Amino acid sequence: MTDTPDTCTPLPGSWQRAARGAGLFGPAGEVHPTIFAEMTSLAVRTGAINLGQGFPDEDGPTELLEAARAAIANGHNQYPPGRGTPDLREAIAEHQERFYGIHLNPSDEVLVTTGATEALAATLLALSEPGDEIVTLEPYYDAYGALIRLAGAQPRTVPLPHPSYLPSREQLTAAITDRTRIILLNTPHNPCGVLLPRSTLEHIVALARQHNAWIVTDEVYEHLTFGVQHLPIASLPGAAERTVTISSGGKTFNTTGWKVGWLTASAEAVTAIQSVKQFLTYASGAPFQPAIATGLRLPDEYFSQIATGLQAKRDLLSEGLSAAGFEVSVPSGGYFVIADAHSVGYEDAVTLCRELPERAGVVGVPVTAFCSPEHSPAYASLVRFAYCKRTEVLREAADRLSRLRAR
Ligand SMILES: *Cc1c(COP(=O)(O)O)cnc(C)c1O
């Protein structure tokens, strides 16, 4: 995973390597080392500030932490129901209604999962057959490449061109064909920070209907948007019956370690996906499920405040990077900002990332870690930095980055 230190997905070039058998192991059966692991150990060795990893360094709301403690004390410590506790499924349905006007039946159109990651895995395994094509946007969250291969499917990507990161209509039309079984979206997008606009989403729905494809959408950053509203594709006409919407409590409530995620879809799709999910984890997180239900029912102010707070952090880091000489693409949502190392004299972001801890005491990751080898050259000079960190940490990072200029 991108965001855990002992990472084990094969990157960069995950798809090539994944093509070797299941592809997740090297020739000697070792877990592939990744750029994330390399950068984390570099951060530890040099004492650099690690902005390579996308997890918050602060706890979420007290109400949630208290609710989890209470649940443990009150005996919620055995397997929860396979679909998730009825109360959490209701809270998820209420949340979709409150924020997006999407009406769901919590008894059969909602499935609680072990993070968004398990939701993605179970969905791709359930809805695709070996040989089917799965179309996704590139750069892509690192799990996508590995999961598509684990499902035996063929990845096909539509590039998000720097610096707009908006997919072109023509390229979407060309990539989505009768061979496409699933269109896998991520909005707001990691690592590009873009929100897919309504016109793009409408075009994707039309193509999915024309070619009878599923839409699977990863919306874990749904509440972390800056001055723009997240638009779930499932809320568009003609989309709901063919869309699986995936989200998670991790990013919204600063509880990435709890791994409570969910998906919403038609009853038929939920049943198919649960038939896979039951043999992955069956169920998980008994005391965390009531706590996440508490979170989903927090007042609107909570959700607007987390976005405003994160926007200030985005600005702090973006300004620091600009002052250090980087060209910055300011994101509309999510945890990450992309900076171009070209403007500070590096054509290869991997080289910059290896030198940055020594030169400036900060760690980032090259965007090519989120690309197939084929498309990497277009992103070669780009670096991803996380701003989901405490303000004083970001201030210190900005201060250290200014050393780059000083030389
Ligand atoms: C963090 C992240 C996930 C993982 O979510 P979990 O709930 O921790 O499994 C999935 N997709 C994207 C785009 C992410 O950034």
Side-chain angles (χ1 to χ4, degrees):
M1 280 313 82
T2 311
D3 299 325
T4 53
D6 50 340
T7 176
C8 57
T9 33
L11 285 169
S14 60
W15 291 355
Q16 274 191 344
R17 289 183 192 150
R20 277 207 317 265
L24 301 175
F25 299 96
E30 80 283 8
V31 174
H32 273 300
T34 71
I35 192 82
F36 301 101
E38 182 188 338
M39 290 304 147
T40 297
S41 57
L42 201 56
V44 171
R45 211 168 61 234
T46 59
I49 297 175
N50 192 350
L51 304 182
Q53 294 178 321
F55 60 84
D57 57 358
E58 280 178 295
D59 274 335
T62 335
E63 297 96 309
L64 269 76
L65 308 180
E66 292 294 327
R69 283 188 198 102
I72 291 172
N74 294 326
H76 294 271
N77 300 303
Q78 310 308 325
Y79 297 127
R83 286 199 166 182
T85 64
D87 184 56
L88 176 55
R89 279 184 276 131
E90 247 163 59
I92 292 163
E94 285 163 24
H95 170 276
Q96 295 305 95
E97 179 90 52
R98 162 158 66 133
F99 288 99
Y100 311 121
I102 294 176
H103 188 71
L104 295 161
N105 181 345
S107 67
D108 60 3
E109 295 177 326
V110 179
L111 181 64
V112 175
T113 57
T114 305
T117 307
E118 189 197 31
L120 285 160
T123 301
L124 299 192
L125 289 165
L127 301 185
S128 71
E129 311 256 347
D132 285 343
E133 287 187 4
I134 298 181
V135 172
T136 195
L137 308 170
E138 181 168 3
Y140 48 82
Y141 182 63
D142 63 347
Y144 295 1
L147 292 175
I148 290 169
R149 284 299 187 191
L150 282 173
Q154 292 295 323
R156 203 156 163 192
T157 65
V158 175
L160 300 177
H162 172 76
S164 78
Y165 298 116
L166 292 171
S168 90
R169 225 182 143 78
E170 293 68 36
Q171 283 180 320
L172 283 167
T173 308
I176 298 164
T177 68
D178 286 344
R179 290 187 301 278
T180 306
R181 182 61 64 100
I182 295 173
I183 305 163
L184 172 57
L185 304 175
N186 174 210
T187 183
H189 191 268
N190 172 9
C192 299
V194 76
L195 274 72
L196 296 178
R198 179 184 290 269
S199 57
T200 303
L201 296 175
E202 283 170 350
H203 184 54
I204 291 169
V205 174
L207 290 168
R209 293 177 65 88
Q210 182 187 341
H211 298 290
N212 197 24
W214 289 98
I215 297 166
V216 177
T217 175
D218 175 347
E219 305 186 349
V220 300
Y221 297 102
E222 60 187 317
H223 290 292
L224 304 177
T225 68
F226 317 127
V228 267
Q229 285 283 320
H230 165 67
L231 177 64
I233 194 167
S235 67
L236 298 182
E241 70 265 25
R242 58 179 64 252
T243 299
V244 179
T245 303
I246 292 173
S247 194
S248 162
K251 309 288 160 67
T252 300
F253 302 116
N254 281 14
T255 52
T256 59
W258 288 8
K259 296 293 281 190
V260 177
W262 55 87
L263 61 87
T264 55
S266 66
E268 178 202 17
V270 165
T271 301
I273 297 164
Q274 194 192 355
S275 72
V276 173
K277 184 241 173 341
Q278 68 183 330
F279 298 118
L280 296 178
T281 59
Y282 175 58
S284 62
F288 302 123
Q289 292 196 22
I292 294 293
T294 302
L296 289 170
R297 292 183 174 123
L298 287 173
D300 292 354
E301 298 78 69
Y302 171 76
F303 297 90
S304 52
Q305 272 164 17
I306 56 169
T308 319
L310 193 62
Q311 182 169 355
K313 294 176 177 208
R314 172 199 72 171
D315 292 343
L316 181 55
L317 184 62
S318 303
E319 282 156 23
L321 287 163
S322 299
F326 286 94
E327 239 161 63
V328 176
S329 315
V330 179
S332 304
Y335 273 175
F336 307 102
V337 57
I338 291 179
D340 196 339
H342 168 82
S343 49
V344 293
Y346 289 84
E347 292 312 319
D348 178 17
V350 176
T351 309
L352 174 85
C353 289
R354 291 196 170 123
E355 295 182 9
L356 201 58
E358 291 290 349
R359 284 196 63 190
V362 173
V363 165
V365 289
V367 170
T368 51
F370 308 92
C371 298
S372 61
E374 185 194 345
H375 289 107
S376 288
Y379 304 94
S381 64
L382 304 176
V383 187
R384 187 194 82 167
F385 294 97
Y387 48 77
C388 50
K389 307 291 176 185
R390 279 171 293 132
T391 302
E392 60 267 32
V393 172
L394 295 173
R395 276 220 185 89
E396 172 67 18
D399 192 49
R400 291 185 184 191
L401 283 164
S402 65
R403 290 180 209 162
L404 273 181
R405 255 278 141 94
R407 300 225 176 155

